[in-house]
Structure formats: structure tokens, C-alpha cells
Amino acid sequence: MTELHLDADRLDLWLLTPPGAVPLPLGELDEAERHRADAFRRPADRALYIAAHIVLRRLLGAYLRIPARDVTFTRADCPRCGGPHGRPVLAGAAPGAPHFSLSHSRGAVLIGVARAPVGVDIEGLPRPERVSLCRSALHPWERRELEQCAGPGRPAVFARLWARKEAYLKGTGVGVGRWTSDVYLGDASPGAPPRPDGWHVLDVPCGPGHAAAAAVREPVRHTVVHRLRPESVLSVGNISDGRTTDARPRPSRS
């Protein structure tokens, strides 16, 4: 079994483009994950969900030094209402166990692992009409920044803003809701409000068809982006295969 080590001041980001239509080892998933996978109507969505959860389990198993199928999940308490529907966490984890976040969209998977609460999001670039429909969910200052960009680059700007926002909200555990427009995670244009205090937010390089971001609650000195090979989710795959890139987070303004 591959073993991974996570330093206290490092954020590990894992990018994966899953393989095509090939059999995947469903035996590594638990009953709830298999039930959720069966609920997808489109085969491509089902395959993406399965691949994302297999690689998440293999990564966490490598950090914890246990088999992927023995990784168990629960939910933290919601910071807004206290209900058991906050961000996913490891069940029965000892102090110092890794925090994690998972996102997948249109054939791409992004996973973040850190010693502090972390959120990640990856978004396929939207169509222009969807940008117009969803722009009201942005902070007023983010909408100003979006309006400064016209033409074919506008969907990418929106996706980048939204990925930052969702990564942060997933990291806090509150999730996306009517409060999304209250949070500013734009490009710090002159006169703009500060970003959320105590969080570091960064854009993650992920290719031309997507935008991605990560948010972590503690300062990190190193952010490492691992690009996994598609076969990492196959029964013969090695989770450590791939390329790594050092990156630096964009600090929150206070």
C-alpha cells in the first residue's frame, strides 16, 4: 500500500481526469456511496462520481495507512444550525487526522487534504446565458468585477469567482445558500471589501475547460498540486503516480 505524509504547513491538492468507460472497483465504496452512484441517470455522471470517491478513499487510506475500504466518513455539525449536515470528516479520527474536501465536474476531480479545515471546488466553464442567470449569487463587488469583463472570457471569470466562493463555503461547512452573495472573494479591486478573515484562498491551475479553487483555514507555506494519472482509480493503479507542481496561495486581505 502506498503511504503519504502530510506536513502541518502544507496543502495537498490532487487533480484527476478519470479513465473512460472501464470497469471500476466498486468494492472499495461503502453502501451509501454505491446507493448514491446508482441514483445518477447519466452513465458519465455515475462514472465520475465513482472515480472521485475511489480516489478519495485511496488517498485518505494512504495518509492514514489503512486500506481504502476501511476509511469511514461522517458529517461535522453545521456551524449555522448545529445539525449533523456540516462538511464531511473522517469518522472516529484521532487528533491531527487530515481534513479533506472533494469536488468533481465535467470529467475532472479535485481533492484537497490538509491538517486544517479545507474546501475545494472545480467548475466546468458555464455558458454565457448561465452566467447571466447566476450572477445575482455573487457579492455586489464581484458582480462589478465580472461586468468589467465582456466577450468570450466572461464565463471563465464567473467560474473562477464561483469556485473560490464554493471552496470557502465548503471549508467552513455552511455550504452554498442564500448567503453566498454576502461573501466577497473577488480580485481585491480598489475599494472592495476584505476577504473572509483567517482563510487563505487560491486559484488552482486545472486546464482551459475548468476553473478551480481551494480554501484552507490555517496559513500554509507550501501548496502542492498533484496531477494523477487516469489509471489511479483502476484496480492496478498506483495513487502516487503523476506529476507535482508547487504553488503558493493567494492570502486573504484583512
Side-chain angles (χ1 to χ4, degrees), residues 188-231:
S189 56
R195 286 182 169 189
D197 187 41
W199 284 83
H200 291 250
V201 180
L202 61 146
D203 298 326
V204 180
C206 60
H210 292 81
V216 61
R217 196 174 69 183
E218 299 291 341
V220 291
R221 290 187 178 184
H222 306 289
T223 300
V224 183
V225 181
H226 309 262
R227 298 178 185 273
L228 292 169
R229 295 190 177 102
E231 58 267 25

Side-chain angles (χ1 to χ4, degrees), residues 108-123:
V109 176
L110 175 62
I111 295 170
V113 185
R115 292 291 183 188
V118 59
V120 300
D121 187 57
I122 189 164
E123 298 282 340

Side-chain angles (χ1 to χ4, degrees), residues 6-230:
L6 182 65
D7 295 330
D9 60 352
R10 193 178 82 221
L11 168 63
D12 278 355
L13 297 170
W14 299 84
L15 278 163
L16 169 72
T17 300
V22 295
L24 295 174
L26 293 177
E28 295 184 12
L29 304 183
D30 62 23
E31 183 179 354
E33 289 167 320
R34 291 194 293 270
H35 180 74
R36 180 71 180 89
D38 288 340
F40 286 98
R41 294 186 177 182
R42 296 180 64 246
D45 294 338
R46 180 177 184 271
L48 180 60
Y49 174 90
I50 291 171
H53 282 256
I54 288 173
V55 78
L56 173 65
R57 283 182 166 275
R58 290 188 175 183
L59 285 171
L60 293 175
Y63 285 111
L64 297 169
R65 291 158 177 72
I66 63 174
R69 65 174 60 90
D70 292 343
V71 176
T72 56
F73 303 106
T74 187
R75 290 274 182 173
D77 292 340
C78 173
R80 283 186 172 267
C81 70
H85 49 257
R87 60 190 179 86
V89 294
L90 291 166
H99 297 260
F100 65 92
S101 182
L102 166 68
S103 179
H104 50 83
S105 175
R106 296 187 192 175
V109 176
L110 175 62
I111 295 170
V113 185
R115 292 291 183 188
V118 59
V120 300
D121 187 57
I122 189 164
E123 298 282 340
L125 300 189
R127 295 180 178 179
E129 56 269 25
R130 184 165 181 82
V131 174
S132 299
L133 180 66
C134 298
R135 62 181 296 278
S136 61
L138 297 177
H139 186 279
W141 276 91
E142 292 170 342
R143 293 199 292 270
R144 289 191 184 189
E145 294 171 8
L146 178 65
E147 295 308 318
Q148 293 174 1
C149 180
R154 183 179 169 91
V157 172
F158 176 87
R160 185 171 67 248
L161 289 168
W162 188 257
R164 293 174 191 167
K165 189 182 298 286
E166 189 154 345
Y168 166 72
L169 292 171
K170 288 171 68 175
T172 62
V174 301
V176 175
R178 62 184 181 276
W179 47 82
T180 55
S181 62
D182 297 336
V183 180
Y184 176 74
L185 284 164
D187 291 327
S189 56
R195 286 182 169 189
D197 187 41
W199 284 83
H200 291 250
V201 180
L202 61 146
D203 298 326
V204 180
C206 60
H210 292 81
V216 61
R217 196 174 69 183
E218 299 291 341
V220 291
R221 290 187 178 184
H222 306 289
T223 300
V224 183
V225 181
H226 309 262
R227 298 178 185 273
L228 292 169
R229 295 190 177 102

